Amino acid sequence: MSSHATPDPYASPIAFGQRMQILRERRGMTRQVLAGLLGKSPDWVKSVEAGRMQAPGLEMVYRIAEALRVRELADLTGHGEHTVNLFAGPGHPRLGAVREAIEQLALGTPTSPPPTPAHLAARLEVAWAARHKAPDHRDKIGALLPGLIRDAQLAVQHAETPSDWRAAQAVLAETYSLAQFFLAYQPDASLLWRVAERSMVAARQSGDPHAIGVSAWLLAQAHRDTGPSHYDAADDITAQAIEYLEPLLPDADDEVLAVAGALQFEAGYTAARRGATATAWSRWDTAREMAERLPESYYHPITSFSQAIMGAHAVTVAVELHQGAESVRQAARAEATTIPSRPRRARHRIEEARGYHLDAQPDVALATLEKAHEAAPETIRYNGYARGIILEACESKVTARRRRASELAVEMGLLAA
């Protein structure tokens, strides 16, 4: 190997600073950008990378890992025994029952007639409404999912006509989509992947454009959130789904149009993760134009796509591009818009907080996370970005900020009272 080649951080126990530099350069990130994300100076970053100072404390290591999109602390520290998934929240008490329902084969003859697809669709509508309205939305849908999963599987297996079978497959795909929202950021990535793939298979079997679009949207998210090595797969999925839906759009109903818009934004989200500024904003603009074709009061129950969500999406693009000042500007523009879903509103507040954090406004970031907690505690509790900002503030030298962050951390269950 050439002496100028980038060393592999996994090949030998390289010092922390060297690993940090290797991972930073692989992301194409300058010292100035990393320093800005960490609230440090470029000289501080250079000193750590050169080994002129000791590796920072755990909370700063956490922040470095987040900034570099390192999913395991071991990738950065070199200590395998300290492997910690940075983006996984705690396991929900209902996770075991949901897992059991997903893994159950549901073989044999049912003791009573399986519910019809129409009946299951009505139950799903109740479940989505509960998710949007409840602050403890994971608990609500976690209670409903086991029965929905089992009944949807039975409906597919015992459908008596081809049309009933396709309708049951569409309901099963949407049930798995609901399960994906429950499983997100929980410590069972393999289960989430299984659900995402099953949803896509069921959607294709159904032939229903809406089901196919939703399943593709969620499968692309699963790839995007896995990291840079999956960005190409995420782009391929969104591109194929958009190409499939495009001929249908002139005569499409609001649901299909909304899913197509959500896919356009999803492509922009992945572009922002890549740092492709022009593509990210272009996709956002296309999605905005599609949102304007929907009624002003319309809100898609699964993707949240609507006119109301576009301001929140603009904040996300700016944050993912590490544009702190632009994130704050977009947050101010989006402030007047009310997002009807509590968990989606909380997610937007978290994205705003990330923007304020990037813009070196830690107290505003904390205040914004308090609003997220008020909207939906279970959203912020499972969000790695929110936890990182709060735990960093818990180490602040500013007494009032440290106290405020510690109180929020205790409420979220991150710290003992």
Side-chain angles (χ1 to χ4, degrees), residues 273-286:
R273 282 275 177 96
R274 291 182 185 274
T277 303
T279 302
W281 285 115
S282 174
R283 290 286 193 173
W284 176 86
D285 203 46
T286 300

Side-chain angles (χ1 to χ4, degrees), residues 2 4 47 69 94 134 202 211 220 262 265 305 337:
S2 166
H4 298 292
S47 294
R69 301 211 180 282
R94 296 192 185 276
F265 173 70
F305 193 77
T337 305

Side-chain angles (χ1 to χ4, degrees), residues 41-59:
S41 69
D43 284 342
W44 182 89
V45 173
K46 185 176 182 179
S47 294
V48 173
E49 291 181 347
R52 291 198 296 269
M53 65 170 62
Q54 289 185 334
L58 180 59
E59 298 310 327

